[in-house]
Amino acid sequence: MSTLLEKHIVELLQERNEKAISLLYENYGDTLFGVANKVVRNEELAQDVLQESFVKIWKKSDSYDPSKAKLFTWLFRITRNTAIDKLRSANTKTDKEIQIDVSDVYTLGVDSIRPELMDVRENLDKIENKYQVVLEALFFQGMTQQEASDELDIPLGTIKSRLKIGLRELKKIYDPTTPVLCLLIALNLIQ
């Protein structure tokens, strides 16, 4: 594209002359569509992106500064960012549509189960103290992992690691199919 035509389009944009949009579409539409399509990988969605981009270009036309970037660079950035936003929006909608309809994990009668009445507490003495403290906080004091992290002044990642290792140590004590161990693992999934 000639710099003379580019200057003319910029002048029209700054004057808010609608002819600028038709010239932009004529001279840059296909390329900008290609940019959008490369990001979203869907022609219909790319058309939406292109349309939204031209609306943004029109609304932001007074913010374009030729001394900072060439016209195409400015158009490219607006289109690419709009495409990325559209893609994120589409992904977010898809993520929200995925739901767990029925899960036994969330319907366990946790309130009626009392681990302190089982022999787990006695067997905690058989594992290292750092794991005992975490299991005690999570299962017997009813803390969430974040609450245990705050209360014990231990990083959340360390709490999770110690929980996993502590359960593995208890698994060595109990038969893996023991209901007590299954219960402890299930309780951990709820938190």
Side-chain angles (χ1 to χ4, degrees):
M1 169 179 285
S2 74
T3 53
L4 193 59
L5 179 59
E6 188 174 308
K7 283 182 183 181
H8 180 63
I9 293 173
V10 170
E11 288 171 6
L12 291 173
L13 270 175
Q14 291 173 342
E15 294 169 4
R16 309 284 290 167
N17 187 326
E18 292 178 12
K19 186 168 170 120
I21 290 295
S22 63
L23 284 172
L24 283 172
Y25 190 79
E26 222 174 272
N27 292 285
Y28 295 101
D30 290 340
T31 306
L32 295 177
F33 173 78
V35 169
N37 196 32
K38 185 165 183 142
V39 173
V40 298
R41 298 174 193 256
N42 177 312
E43 287 190 16
E44 189 175 311
L45 205 52
Q47 288 288 347
D48 290 345
V49 168
L50 187 62
Q51 183 176 356
E52 286 179 34
S53 297
F54 274 101
V55 169
K56 287 180 182 179
I57 289 164
W58 179 252
K59 287 180 178 179
K60 296 179 178 186
S61 62
D62 57 336
S63 70
Y64 172 66
D65 183 357
S67 67
K68 291 185 179 178
K70 290 188 171 224
L71 180 63
F72 177 73
T73 304
W74 184 69
L75 299 170
F76 172 85
R77 286 183 184 151
I78 291 173
T79 304
R80 184 175 176 275
N81 290 342
T82 303
I84 290 169
D85 290 346
K86 183 66 101 174
L87 195 59
R88 285 180 183 155
S89 175
N91 287 341
T92 302
K93 286 177 185 173
T94 303
D95 291 346
K96 287 180 182 176
E97 290 173 7
I98 298 172
Q99 297 176 358
I100 300 173
D101 292 335
V102 178
S103 173
D104 293 338
V105 172
Y106 300 106
T107 58
L108 285 175
V110 180
D111 295 332
S112 63
I113 298 171
R114 304 215 24 219
E116 66 271 15
L117 300 178
M118 299 176 199
D119 67 344
V120 175
R121 187 166 261 159
E122 290 80 33
N123 285 315
L124 277 180
D125 293 340
K126 297 177 183 172
I127 63 175
E128 283 186 61
N129 188 46
K130 62 184 178 181
Y131 307 124
Q132 286 179 31
V133 171
V134 171
L135 291 173
E136 176 75 31
L138 295 174
F139 296 118
F140 297 106
Q141 295 175 20
M143 294 182 192
T144 65
Q145 292 176 356
Q146 184 62 55
E147 290 169 343
S149 172
D150 296 339
E151 181 72 26
L152 300 172
D153 197 28
I154 299 173
L156 182 60
T158 305
I159 291 286
K160 292 179 180 194
S161 297
R162 289 181 182 177
L163 170 63
K164 184 177 179 181
I165 294 168
L167 288 174
R168 189 179 325 134
E169 293 301 310
L170 283 176
K171 185 177 180 182
K172 292 176 185 175
I173 297 168
Y174 290 100
D175 176 22
T177 59
T178 302
V180 172
L181 189 60
C182 294
L183 171 66
L184 288 174
I185 294 169
L187 284 171
N188 181 48
L189 293 175
I190 292 171
Q191 298 179 13

